[in-house]
Amino acid sequence: MFDGVARRYDVTNTVLSFGRDRSWRRATRGALALQPGEKVLDLAAGTGVSTVELARSGAWAAACDFSTGMLRAGAFRRVPMVTGDATALPFADGVFDAATISFGLRNVHDPAAGLREMARVVRPGGRLVVCEFSTPTWRPFRTAYMEYLMKALPMVATRVSSNPDAYVYLAESIQRWPDQRALAEIIRDAGWNSVRWTDLTGGIVALHWAQR
Ligand SMILES: C[S@@+](CC[C@H](N)C(=O)[O-])C[C@H]1O[C@@H](n2cnc3c(N)ncnc32)[C@H](O)[C@@H]1O
């Protein structure tokens, strides 16, 4: 599916999110508090649009994804790219100072396995930030957002995306995804400590932070 949306992935995101995707990526970089010289894994990095934002910190940021179509569409970006499955990462134990996954964990077939793998490749004391769609906290806003998600978003995607059906899946997968508290539990159960979260854009997106 991601190979099929790769060509117009970046522009479709920006249109469907009214440009909010840029600020969500900046907030992810801020939450990771990366230092120059640190190594960060950007898992499910797709075209690497999330990875270049991380690299602005001065840290060494590596993109990993199992869709060669997505990686190829972002090959013009000057970041290291590795083909790999989130549930069986091609890295040794404890080699990263931090790991992050933006709008990817929801798509991983076994999210708990992905979280355990990130815990394996991050050193003790290292950080995790999960940037993912979540549940708006204010009920009237949540109702309006769900209308947008289920009705308007697939219509807009028909005009912008190279594979509009993928955006029906996007809307459905966001609806099915655990809310902030439930995701925090899943992250804790996967071996991460001190889990906490921050809502962005009223809870459309949440950043979950944890320590190894
Ligand atoms: C919505 S894109 C996110 C891309 C990028 N992180 C961003 O912020 O725009 C989700 C990505 O998850 C990847 N993905 C899904 N399951 C995966 C897995 N098991 N291993 C590696 N990548 C996976 C897909 O190939 C896709 O590129």
Side-chain angles (χ1 to χ4, degrees):
M1 184 186 77
F2 282 100
D3 281 356
V5 299
R7 195 168 50 84
R8 306 203 65 189
Y9 174 81
D10 292 350
V11 65
T12 307
N13 268 353
T14 301
V15 170
L16 294 179
S17 71
F18 301 100
R20 299 305 300 163
D21 56 329
R22 294 192 183 118
S23 68
W24 297 335
R25 295 185 199 294
R26 274 197 302 274
T28 301
R29 171 165 56 81
L32 281 160
L34 296 164
Q35 300 301 315
E38 284 195 313
K39 295 191 186 73
V40 57
L41 169 64
D42 186 21
L43 186 56
T47 59
V49 62
S50 42
T51 322
V52 282
E53 182 61 44
L54 301 175
R56 284 187 218 282
S57 65
W60 184 82
C64 178
D65 201 287
F66 72 177
S67 163
T68 49
M70 289 287 273
L71 292 174
R72 208 172 289 128
F76 65 94
R77 296 202 161 99
R78 292 172 172 265
V79 288
M81 291 182 162
V82 179
T83 307
D85 184 340
T87 61
L89 287 174
F91 305 109
D93 297 358
V95 290
F96 290 100
D97 299 290
T100 184
I101 181 163
S102 297
F103 310 107
L105 192 60
R106 183 178 27 84
N107 298 298
V108 174
H109 177 67
D110 183 348
L115 289 163
R116 283 195 299 274
E117 273 295 85
M118 285 191 279
R120 181 182 66 74
V121 301
V122 168
R123 64 164 170 81
R127 294 93 68 202
L128 168 76
V129 171
V130 176
C131 172
E132 190 50 89
F133 291 112
S134 199
T135 306
T137 46
W138 190 47
R139 189 185 288 267
F141 181 53
R142 183 162 69 233
T143 306
Y145 170 64
M146 286 304 166
E147 283 288 301
Y148 168 70
L149 207 57
M150 300 312 286
K151 299 196 178 131
L153 183 144
M155 265 162 47
V156 179
T158 307
R159 293 179 178 267
V160 192
S161 171
S162 47
N163 179 4
D165 286 348
Y167 290 85
V168 175
Y169 157 77
L170 171 71
E172 290 172 353
S173 70
I174 293 174
Q175 256 205 335
R176 282 196 303 265
W177 187 244
D179 68 9
Q180 289 84 332
R181 191 171 300 279
L183 180 59
E185 271 308 305
I186 294 169
I187 294 172
R188 216 169 281 128
D189 289 348
W192 292 92
N193 301 310
S194 312
V195 184
R196 55 179 193 252
W197 71 84
T198 312
D199 289 330
L200 304 178
T201 321
I204 286 182
V205 167
L207 295 186
H208 282 73
W209 185 96
Q211 194 160 35
R212 168 79 168 76

